[in-house]
Amino acid sequence: MMLIPCPHCGPRNENEFTYGGQAQVAYPDDPHALDDAAWARYLFYRDNTKGLFAERWMHATGCGKWFDAVRHTTTYEFHEVRRVGRMLETESTPGKGPHT
Amino acid sequence: MAEQLPEHPEFLWENSEPKSSYDVVIVGGGGHGLATAYYLAAHHGITNVAVLERGWLAGGNMARNTAIIRSNYLWDESAHLYERSLSMWEQLPEELDYDFLFSQRGVLNLAHTLGDVRESVRRVEANRLNGVDAEWLTPEEVKEVCPILNIGEDIRYPVMGATYQPRAGIAKHDHVAWALARRAAELGVDLIQNCEVTGFLKDGERVVGVETSRGRIHAGKVGLCAAGHSSMVAELAGLPLPIQSHPLQALVSELFEPVHPTVVMSNHVHVYVSQAHKGELVMGAGIDQYVGYGQRGAFHIIEEQMAAAVELFPIFARAHVLRTWGGVVDTTFDASPIISKTPIDQLYVNCGWGTGGFKGTPAAGYTFAHTIAHDEPHPLNAPFSLERFETGFLIDEHGAAAVAH
Ligand SMILES: Cc1cc2nc3c(=O)[nH]c(=O)nc-3n(C[C@H](O)[C@H](O)[C@H](O)COP(=O)(O)OP(=O)(O)OC[C@H]3O[C@@H](n4cnc5c(N)ncnc54)[C@H](O)[C@@H]3O)c2cc1C
Ligand SMILES: [Zn+2]
């Protein structure tokens, strides 16, 4: 079980958390301006990075807050966590393709 | 029970050296890659084919799965595809001249809530309309099929009934891979191990070959069968895929006398159990929720699965876990596979089978070979295109399929 460093509560067991997938995927500014392909991209396409991956977690049975984290998807190590509203500093900015 | 295992045939396959060019290159030597190569050669007369595998043949999910085969999926598109697959399993041992212990011992999908019951009865009716053998069983009937199952009302999630598919079952997965590999090799397919695809050769919007750890290989067409690593491979060609890869675990106990006559799956408490021919209890768990390529999952997933198994099968309480392992499964957002042409000419993709692609091995190979040979999908896989994520014609088997294994 991973020990996840909640930025509000400190390290807690993985099974207290809900996973939210890739971080920092913005809702389109003007959804009506998107064609089907672009809308599909927004709805269904996410990075599936092998390596450092910026993702969201929610501390469901703790503070109940969402936060962003950078985790390695092979070693499962957490490199960084950030409260919502602060940008992740690791170069693994999502949306730029794979970071192996 | 071990004496039931078939002897290895004298000849399996030869390890080929890569040639500089092939009509078709298949990336990934798991069950799906091998089946695709076999059908290309056997049905389409395309024998100048290479299967490139970065490790050893069937060292990925093909030899890590719990080997459950069934076709009781809810939606028409899925029922047609998986039912074709099941009827192909019924003839494959003879067709490949290899007894890989396909055992039609039936599958029970348990219902533990009123919601489960309604969904299950609906699925049984839908299955029947599609010619899939399916029945709804009361708890007492469930107990007749599987006497070691606890149908008492004093457990956390009592069994309220089950769907039953008598023609479903299991097969010995590694032998399935060897059977396909052997026949493909006999037909002239080159099986190349320790050969990782590291890039693609392109001529404009057309793929014309691959870069590999063993040199450059030109190809008329390239088909991807990389399962958990599909996004990584497709990305090398500049093709994004709507896939998320997750760890999925399973485990086996030590050997026992035959106690478990069928396959039991429970969506609600997330465990599925069968007894292998040798005698081990084989149990699968749920996926870990996060993206992961570590081929290992979290221990609490196994703990929960064991707790559920022991409650449903009190007789298992004294069994010991012998071995646990994980694979990396490629899930899509509608829990259905993608067997499709791509926006890049001569590049085809078979992926997204997630937690349930072993049963689909014959149909995946059959339809993917057709798609590659004709540059057009077979009617069975036309709905499973990459475009469905744009058109909205999703095939949403989440939950509907009663655990997607
Ligand atoms: C624990 C577990 C239990 C499961 N239980 C069931 C079940 O009961 N029933 C069921 O129907 N399904 C089940 N599945 C799912 C099933 O195993 C998969 O859907 C199926 O095996 C995927 O197809 P494959 O056999 O071709 O995959 P794999 O055997 O994984 O083949 C993909 C191959 O591609 C290779 N590869 C990747 N990248 C490259 C590269 N760059 N170059 C060359 N080669 C590459 C890999 O090394 C691998 O060998 C389970 C899976 C797991 C992990
Ligand atoms: Zn918290």
Side-chain angles (χ1 to χ4, degrees):
Chain A
M1 169 144 29
M2 299 188 294
L3 203 54
I4 301 182
C6 172
H8 305 280
C9 311
R12 293 291 187 277
N13 282 345
E14 171 191 344
N15 54 0
E16 295 186 12
F17 294 82
T18 303
Y19 187 59
Q22 184 179 356
Q24 299 170 8
V25 178
Y27 189 75
D29 285 340
D30 179 7
H32 297 285
L34 301 188
D35 60 11
D36 289 350
W39 185 240
R41 191 66 27 131
Y42 167 68
L43 281 184
F44 299 119
Y45 285 73
R46 293 293 179 270
D47 287 353
N48 192 23
T49 307
K50 185 174 186 174
L52 290 179
F53 186 45
E55 58 192 13
R56 298 185 310 158
W57 289 86
M58 196 260 280
H59 192 186
T61 64
C63 60
K65 289 181 181 147
W66 284 99
F67 59 93
D68 288 350
V70 174
R71 186 181 56 97
H72 197 286
T73 58
T74 309
T75 64
Y76 303 162
E77 237 172 301
F78 280 80
H79 285 241
E80 194 185 339
V81 287
R82 278 282 181 280
R83 298 173 183 220
V84 161
R86 313 210 179 157
M87 292 302 276
L88 289 160
E89 275 155 22
T90 308
E91 51 186 295
S92 161
T93 315
K96 282 197 194 148
H99 322 272
T100 4
Chain B
M1 284 169 98
E3 63 277 9
Q4 285 181 26
L5 291 178
E7 290 287 309
H8 287 300
E10 295 265 298
F11 165 80
L12 281 170
W13 63 82
E14 225 149 87
N15 272 321
S16 312
E17 287 300 310
K19 293 193 283 185
S20 62
S21 135
Y22 291 91
D23 292 343
V24 178
V25 161
I26 302 295
V27 183
H32 289 207
L34 293 168
T36 304
Y38 164 68
Y39 287 109
L40 278 171
H43 286 196
H44 303 282
I46 303 175
T47 56
N48 184 22
V49 174
V51 177
L52 308 183
E53 166 55 50
R54 81 174 168 167
W56 57 90
L57 289 187
N61 291 342
M62 184 60 175
R64 291 164 196 266
N65 63 68
T66 46
I68 299 171
I69 297 168
R70 59 189 180 88
S71 66
N72 53 350
Y73 282 69
L74 177 67
W75 301 109
D76 292 352
E77 295 83 354
S78 321
H80 295 158
L81 184 70
Y82 290 103
E83 177 55 28
R84 170 66 68 92
S85 208
L86 179 52
S87 48
M88 293 173 81
W89 280 111
E90 287 169 332
Q91 341 157 356
L92 264 186
E94 198 183 314
E95 184 177 328
L96 300 176
D97 188 24
Y98 195 134
D99 177 14
F100 48 71
L101 300 181
F102 176 47
S103 159
Q104 291 178 287
R105 56 182 68 187
V107 168
L108 289 165
N109 292 101
L110 304 182
H112 302 277
T113 66
L114 193 56
D116 278 357
V117 172
R118 289 182 178 141
E119 179 277 319
S120 303
V121 172
R122 177 190 181 200
R123 184 161 44 77
V124 164
E125 298 302 337
N127 285 167
R128 291 187 163 181
L129 290 172
N130 277 319
V132 175
D133 58 319
E135 297 165 40
W136 168 252
L137 303 187
T138 64
E140 292 69 33
E141 291 168 329
V142 169
K143 183 92 180 164
E144 270 169 48
V145 174
C146 187
I148 57 171
L149 198 58
N150 181 5
I151 58 163
E153 284 184 6
D154 56 344
I155 62 176
R156 178 66 185 85
Y157 295 105
V159 175
M160 296 175 73
T163 69
Y164 184 47
Q165 184 179 21
R167 281 166 61 245
I170 53 175
K172 198 144 175 23
H173 45 202
D174 39 354
H175 287 247
V176 173
W178 301 336
L180 289 163
R182 180 175 71 139
R183 187 42 66 86
E186 260 170 27
L187 292 168
V189 171
D190 279 0
L191 304 176
I192 302 166
Q193 311 190 62
N194 299 311
C195 182
E196 178 170 357
V197 169
T198 55
F200 286 81
L201 306 174
K202 277 177 146 183
D203 177 4
E205 269 312 280
R206 205 159 64 96
V207 158
V208 294
V210 289
E211 298 282 4
T212 80
S213 54
R214 294 176 69 177
R216 180 172 287 189
I217 301 175
H218 293 273
K221 297 175 176 186
V222 178
L224 307 184
C225 291
H229 281 78
S230 292
S231 332
M232 312 308 303
V233 177
E235 199 77 55
L236 296 171
L239 173 71
L241 290 174
I243 296 272
Q244 299 276 273
S245 295
H246 296 279
L248 178 67
Q249 301 182 82
L251 60 90
V252 289
S253 71
E254 76 260 60
L255 310 187
F256 290 105
E257 289 300 306
V259 288
H260 184 14
T262 181
V263 181
V264 173
M265 310 178 68
S266 168
N267 197 5
H268 201 78
V269 298
H270 244 120
V271 69
Y272 41 105
V273 189
S274 67
Q275 188 168 17
H277 293 85
K278 257 199 295 185
E280 318 96 302
L281 298 167
V282 181
M283 298 188 206
I287 57 173
D288 286 71
Q289 53 178 340
Y290 47 83
V291 169
Y293 289 90
Q295 287 191 324
R296 68 193 157 82
F299 188 67
H300 69 269
I301 303 273
I302 290 182
E303 255 181 321
E304 282 160 19
Q305 160 203 14
M306 297 300 276
V310 169
E311 201 173 44
L312 287 173
F313 300 92
I315 190 181
F316 292 174
R318 280 159 179 272
H320 294 108
V321 172
L322 201 68
R323 199 155 42 88
T324 77
W325 65 89
V328 181
V329 297
D330 45 334
T331 61
T332 59
F333 292 86
D334 61 358
S336 287
I338 299 165
I339 315 160
S340 182
K341 294 174 64 166
T342 73
I344 301 172
D345 286 344
Q346 331 284 34
L347 181 68
Y348 307 83
V349 63
N350 166 67
C351 66
W353 288 85
T355 58
F358 174 66
K359 68 177 73 63
T361 303
Y366 176 79
T367 58
F368 197 41
H370 180 105
T371 307
I372 293 171
H374 296 279
D375 194 35
E376 212 176 272
H378 185 279
L380 280 171
N381 69 307
F384 294 89
S385 69
L386 202 47
E387 287 103 72
R388 74 177 186 271
F389 297 96
E390 290 179 19
T391 59
F393 285 104
L394 300 177
I395 305 162
D396 188 4
E397 289 290 348
H398 264 300
V403 176
H405 302 287

